[in-house]
Amino acid sequence: MAPETPAQGPAPRYFTWDEVAQRSGRDKERWLVIERKVYNISEFTRRHPGGSRVISHYAGQDATDPFVAFHINKGLVRKYMNSLLIGELSPEQPSFEPTKNKELTEEFRELRATVEQMGLMKANHVFFLLYLLHILLLDVAAWLTLLVFGTSFMPFLLCAVLLSAVQAQAGWLQHDFGHLSVFSTSTWNHLLHHFVIGHLKGAPASWWNHMHFQHHAKPNCFRKDPDINMHPFFFALGKILSVELGKQKKKYMPYNHQHKYFFLIGPPALLPLYFQWYIFYFVIQRKKWVDLAWMITFYVRISLTYVPLLGVKGFLGLFFVVRFLESNWFVWVTQMNHIPMHIDHDRNRDWVSTQLQATCNVHKSAFNDWFSGHLNFQIEHHLFPTMPRHNYHKVAPLVQSLCAKHGIEYQSKPLLSAFADIVQ
């Protein structure tokens, strides 16, 4: 008898890059490519745990490198992706679009494999425990300042400075948990993220995820990076976008004075006049009740701590002074790495080029590392967003070598020069 022929499954569907590019979300369908496999994400975007917009920003494009960069348990994620698989790239098609640097992409992927083998993606839990303890100690010190020295001007001011340090440093710590860079499982990272951003800061984790992952996916890309949404209604950002405004004869603000009014509506106002109120609108509109519960624990705790010492009016005054100081700290640090860099529409560049043209570093020092939450290593953080921050300085020389080999500018500057470049 002739041997039985094994049952053949359906032949895989093959697609070209042109076909993929047409499904970029401008109409209803959205496709993307990961490791040469084509996925239809049209219905999945709303269920995407990282948010609908961040995955939609790669519709019609290769998303292999951001997929690898953002997920810590890729094997588990791939199981959920099987239901979205519709085919793969035709054998004659390259692995990524012609707008991307093939040699640079391949060498970066080799670098990432080396980094993982060196153990640089594994966190030192003692580092993060001590970091959390130093925040809690500053929090207690702020309260003791008023309790021991009274509520006159100088103790009040010292308390406000200490609390602003608590808020800024808790902001950097929640950033670590939000990026899944502390624990090996998403569950523990998410739990501690809720605790730090919700209970220690009074902000929603879902709002941070929604905003920040988009920024990492397409930094300084207009209409894809929410961190540059102040263009064009408040500021004219970047040479390319500014020239476009000029050609369109659109002027929403007196842009020739923006380096002056930046000091009024930028650093001092972002948190107390915008974020402080918008976060409540966000959680209520999207029915994020778990986030709201965590936020309420912050406001209950801080009220019970300071109202008995200062009264309601004194407490409200302290609260907004703290938000004012924190806002200045936050804006200068977060903008120094991006605003002076290239700002444009999404040109679908490769992962390394996308991140390097939009980010720069600030020189390493003990103070700079602490003051910026190690975001002075912004280049390394953007290339490896799930890497624990205490390893940025270890991977930096490898990144510098890669950049030098491919003629990519790797910018690092002093802290005050970075601040000045924002105004410049």
Side-chain angles (χ1 to χ4, degrees), residues 187-385:
T187 303
W188 278 104
N189 282 302
H190 290 321
L191 178 61
L192 269 294
H193 189 212
H194 276 294
F195 171 74
V196 177
I197 195 173
H199 182 68
L200 295 185
K201 287 191 61 62
S206 58
W207 163 74
W208 184 89
N209 292 340
H210 169 74
M211 300 288 286
H212 196 65
F213 291 152
Q214 292 184 72
H215 161 69
H216 269 270
K218 295 288 185 179
N220 281 7
C221 291
F222 185 47
R223 302 199 185 283
K224 290 192 174 184
D225 180 359
D227 284 11
I228 59 170
N229 278 353
M230 59 274 206
H231 176 94
F233 297 111
F234 294 102
F235 301 99
L237 298 179
K239 294 181 180 179
I240 294 173
L241 300 184
S242 298
V243 168
E244 285 182 1
L245 280 180
K247 290 180 178 178
Q248 296 165 4
K249 300 189 183 302
K250 289 183 178 180
K251 189 174 184 181
Y252 300 92
M253 293 284 282
Y255 299 129
N256 51 315
H257 296 291
Q258 65 180 3
H259 58 291
K260 301 171 187 174
Y261 65 73
F262 168 76
F263 290 94
L264 294 175
I265 67 174
L270 183 65
L271 268 62
L273 298 185
Y274 178 56
F275 280 178
Q276 182 60 48
W277 313 108
Y278 178 75
I279 55 178
F280 283 98
Y281 168 78
F282 182 93
V283 294
I284 293 171
Q285 183 204 35
R286 296 179 180 239
K287 300 178 180 179
K288 301 292 185 180
W289 307 126
V290 173
D291 275 327
L292 183 60
W294 277 106
M295 292 165 65
I296 289 172
T297 66
F298 165 78
Y299 290 100
V300 169
R301 175 178 63 85
I302 197 169
S303 299
L304 292 176
T305 303
Y306 289 100
V307 169
L309 294 173
L310 296 168
V312 175
K313 289 184 179 179
F315 163 68
L316 291 176
L318 174 68
F319 183 80
F320 282 102
V321 168
V322 170
R323 283 289 185 246
F324 168 80
L325 294 173
E326 179 199 358
S327 186
N328 281 276
W329 190 334
F330 172 81
V331 171
W332 285 106
V333 169
T334 56
Q335 300 309 302
M336 67 183 184
N337 302 114
H338 297 295
I339 290 300
M341 303 301 291
H342 184 72
I343 300 174
D344 197 357
H345 299 276
D346 179 17
R347 304 297 183 187
N348 192 16
R349 304 284 300 280
D350 57 84
W351 177 253
V352 178
S353 299
T354 297
Q355 304 302 330
L356 263 294
Q357 71 182 6
T359 55
C360 65
N361 280 6
V362 167
H363 296 338
K364 176 178 172 54
S365 73
F367 175 79
N368 289 354
D369 292 354
W370 176 84
F371 186 75
S372 68
H374 289 85
L375 294 181
N376 50 327
F377 286 97
Q378 192 74 201
I379 293 172
E380 289 70 28
H381 170 57
H382 266 255
L383 290 176
F384 307 99

Side-chain angles (χ1 to χ4, degrees), residues 402-413:
L402 180 68
C403 291
K405 181 176 180 181
H406 291 273
I408 298 173
E409 185 180 12
Y410 180 103
Q411 284 194 37
S412 185
K413 59 187 76 167

Side-chain angles (χ1 to χ4, degrees), residues 124-142:
N124 180 348
H125 293 155
V126 174
F127 172 89
F128 290 103
L129 175 61
L130 292 176
Y131 203 90
L132 175 60
L133 288 176
H134 115 279
I135 292 171
L136 299 178
L137 286 173
L138 287 172
D139 210 0
V140 172

Side-chain angles (χ1 to χ4, degrees), residues 42 81 144:
S42 306
M81 291 164 54
L144 286 175

